[in-house]
Amino acid sequence: VDAQYRTIPQPAARSLLGFSEGGYCAASLLLRHPDVFGAAATISGYYHAAPRTGATSTAWRVYGGQPGLIAANSPDLMAPALPAQTRARLFVVLVGQAGEPFFGTEFSQFGAVLTAAGIPRAVIPLTNVGHSWWAVRTSIGSVLELLAARQVRQGLFGATY
């Protein structure tokens, strides 16, 4: 991508965004590859690999029930294990509805994990949208503004961008 397009080839200029299982993937990729990505936005995601719930009926299959793989790919466990300097330069926009079954609990618990780990975050609480595309539609503008504002504060955009 960097060879073909006009990019800013540094982690602070690269963000991930995902909804539901994509929220899990965005958080997981950020924490597994902080040398490539600097931020992630997760909308109504989950943060422990391979959950077995009615809302995530097949997510557990990816890791085949193997505890080592599940632990190695769970954002809620990966975040505190990163070096402090790495954690301090990451950024997560966490979007969710706290009272919602499963995804609301994940939203609240992962927020606490990020705070305890010292990972900067912004929280966008949702109401009355549930785990639906309305969550994305009502939050995407604010999510993109937060990610862009962080990049501007980091000095990523000069006169040529």
Side-chain angles (χ1 to χ4, degrees), residues 56-153:
T56 59
S57 60
T58 60
W60 65 271
R61 291 182 181 169
V62 175
Y63 302 107
Q66 297 179 39
L69 284 176
I70 292 169
N73 289 284
S74 292
D76 59 348
L77 301 176
M78 290 189 288
L82 289 173
Q85 281 186 309
T86 301
R87 294 190 315 255
R89 64 178 171 73
L90 298 177
F91 181 59
V92 175
V93 179
L94 193 59
V95 182
Q97 188 169 317
E100 184 180 28
F102 181 67
F103 293 100
T105 302
E106 291 286 306
F107 166 72
S108 299
Q109 289 177 349
F110 193 56
V113 166
L114 294 172
T115 298
I119 295 176
R121 65 180 174 85
V123 175
I124 300 175
L126 300 175
T127 56
N128 301 322
V129 293
H131 185 75
S132 70
W133 282 104
W134 281 107
V136 177
R137 293 177 96 179
T138 60
S139 66
I140 193 70
S142 297
V143 166
L144 294 174
E145 286 176 13
L146 286 165
L147 292 171
R150 173 137 172 125
Q151 291 177 338
V152 168
R153 281 193 309 274

Side-chain angles (χ1 to χ4, degrees), residues 4-77:
Q4 293 296 318
Y5 298 99
R6 190 172 169 219
T7 67
I8 302 172
Q10 53 187 285
R14 295 189 178 113
S15 300
L16 299 153
L17 187 143
F19 165 67
S20 191
E21 188 171 31
Y24 159 76
C25 292
S28 181
L29 286 168
L30 173 69
L31 298 170
R32 284 184 25 215
H33 301 286
D35 56 322
V36 177
F37 303 104
T42 67
I43 302 171
S44 195
Y46 58 87
Y47 309 98
H48 193 79
R52 289 186 185 229
T53 72
T56 59
S57 60
T58 60
W60 65 271
R61 291 182 181 169
V62 175
Y63 302 107
Q66 297 179 39
L69 284 176
I70 292 169
N73 289 284
S74 292
D76 59 348
L77 301 176

